[in-house]
């Protein structure tokens, strides 16, 4: 049994605290809305009135809050209660530049800090599923590796560069948000065409999206835009999509069309449609 603390018990933090208590850890938690902590009492989670009270005696302090400003605020509020050997484990999605500065500042002050953002929702957090990334001093990570592995289906240590997990979290969330926007447009296209949305989604299951990432995506990253699907032809197809949906609200495709028009005007119409990323990479 470990004595651990959670600062922030929203949907994700609360799920983590619940799971930890069920595993047998002694869990104390703080949240601005204390009712959210009290709701965890049924699992054995103890409520603390302040961050400093929550972390007193804790070997690990898990931070799951909104943003950089709140991370800094709760760490400062907790410092008077931290034991010398306590390890701060920050699961918050944060700005990479501020994450690097935070890590440097905390390590210089003698505090132990790892940034460990996750790809998981509350159900995954309760059931140790999903992905957790970690960055920070290797020895520090190794000292809690076994404990972190109990919280997730997959634990990835990305190295000592303190902002790298923050960067990769943005990569993943960009994919999730971008994909959601494109799916929204597909559903709008289906609606405009009199096709059931569930049937449209089932068709997407026939596409090898992983293959597209490892094939087309790696070619893009290498700056290889040799055409297999010309940008000008892809723009024509996007025109057909937009004409089909009419004046219905669209989430992503109008912006894609505008970017295609810029690139075609710049002379890239015969390049592959993946030339949408031409300005993001070094070209041969």
């Amino acid at each position: 049994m470990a004595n651990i603390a959670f600062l922030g018990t929203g949907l994700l933090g609360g799920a983590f605290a619940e799971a930890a208590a069920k595993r047998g850890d002694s869990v104390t938690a703080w949240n601005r809305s204390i009712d959210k902590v009290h709701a965890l009492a049924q699992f054995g989670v103890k409520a603390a009135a302040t961050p400093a009270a929550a972390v007193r005696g804790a070997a690990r302090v898990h931070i799951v809050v909104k943003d950089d400003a709140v991370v800094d605020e709760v760490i400062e509020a907790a410092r008077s209660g931290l034991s010398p050997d306590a390890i701060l484990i920050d699961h918050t999605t944060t700005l990479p530049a501020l994450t690097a500065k935070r890590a440097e500042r905390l390590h210089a002050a003698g505090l132990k800090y790892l940034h460990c953002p996750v790809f998981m929702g509350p159900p995954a957090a309760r059931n140790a599923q999903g992905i957790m990334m970690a960055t920070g001093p290797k020895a520090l990570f190794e000292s809690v590796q076994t404990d972190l592995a109990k919280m997730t289906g997959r634990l990835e240590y990305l190295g000592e560069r303190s902002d790298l997990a923050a960067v990769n979290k943005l990569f993943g969330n960009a994919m999730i948000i971008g994909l959601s926007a494109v799916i929204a447009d597909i559903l709008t296209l289906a609606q405009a065409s009199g096709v059931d949305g569930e049937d449209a989604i089932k068709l997407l299951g026939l596409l090898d999206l992983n293959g597209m990432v490892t094939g087309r995506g790696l070619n893009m990253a290498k700056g290889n835009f040799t055409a297999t699907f010309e940008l000008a032809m892809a723009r024509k197809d996007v025109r057909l999509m937009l004409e089909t949906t009419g004046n219905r609200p669209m989430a992503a495709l109008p912006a894609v069309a505008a970017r295609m028009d810029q690139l075609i005007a710049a002379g890239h119409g015969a390049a592959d449609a993946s030339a949408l990323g031409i300005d993001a990479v070094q070209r041969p």
Side-chain angles (χ1 to χ4, degrees):
M1 178 185 291
N3 292 322
I4 64 175
F6 280 86
L7 302 179
T9 56
L11 293 175
L12 183 60
F16 272 141
E18 174 188 333
K22 287 179 176 177
R23 285 194 298 270
D25 290 330
S26 177
V27 182
T28 303
W30 169 87
N31 193 76
R32 274 204 179 95
S33 302
I34 197 65
D35 289 348
K36 292 184 178 180
V37 184
H38 288 156
L40 298 170
Q42 61 182 307
F43 307 110
V45 176
K46 299 179 289 291
T50 66
V55 305
R56 196 161 287 119
R60 300 194 318 272
V61 176
H62 295 267
I63 303 168
V64 197
V65 293
K66 178 184 177 182
D67 56 25
D68 288 280
V70 184
V71 172
D72 291 336
E73 180 184 334
V74 298
I75 290 176
E76 186 61 31
R79 285 185 70 164
S80 64
L82 287 171
S83 66
D85 293 329
I87 300 175
L88 297 169
I89 300 171
D90 181 11
H91 303 291
T92 309
T93 301
T94 51
L95 187 69
L98 292 180
T99 305
K101 290 179 181 177
R102 179 178 305 109
E104 182 179 10
R105 183 172 66 250
L106 293 176
H107 292 152
L111 298 179
K112 299 176 179 180
Y113 175 82
L114 293 171
H115 189 222
C116 301
V118 301
F119 292 113
M120 64 178 78
R126 290 188 185 94
N127 295 291
Q129 299 170 334
I131 301 169
M132 181 183 296
M133 300 173 291
T135 51
K138 185 176 182 181
L140 187 59
F141 167 74
E142 289 177 344
S143 73
V144 293
Q145 182 175 1
T146 299
D147 297 307
L148 294 181
K150 294 176 183 178
M151 300 174 64
T152 182
R154 181 172 178 176
L155 177 62
E156 292 285 337
Y157 177 62
L158 303 181
E160 299 205 349
R161 178 178 157 181
S162 58
D163 66 342
L164 199 54
V167 172
N168 277 273
K169 179 61 188 291
L170 295 185
F171 294 163
N173 278 6
M175 176 63 80
I176 293 167
I177 294 166
L179 184 60
S180 296
V182 171
I183 289 175
D185 284 357
I186 289 169
L187 290 173
T188 302
L189 186 60
Q191 180 190 65
S193 305
V195 174
D196 185 88
E198 292 188 17
D199 289 337
I201 298 303
K202 289 176 184 176
L203 178 64
L204 296 182
L206 301 177
L207 302 177
D208 181 6
L209 297 180
N210 285 332
M212 293 180 191
V213 171
T214 57
R216 185 175 293 272
L218 282 178
N219 278 337
M220 292 174 70
K222 294 174 181 177
N224 178 7
F225 302 107
T226 303
T228 59
F229 182 17
E230 288 187 358
L231 180 64
M233 292 300 293
R235 177 62 180 93
K236 181 268 296 181
D237 290 352
V238 174
R239 173 178 61 80
L240 298 178
M241 298 169 200
L242 296 176
E243 288 179 359
T244 299
T245 55
N247 60 1
R248 291 172 172 81
M250 299 287 278
L253 287 176
V256 172
R259 179 62 178 145
M260 285 177 160
D261 289 341
Q262 292 174 346
L263 292 168
I264 291 169
H268 300 298
D272 192 76
S274 60
L276 283 162
I278 201 167
D279 292 325
V281 298
Q282 294 292 325
R283 284 166 281 174

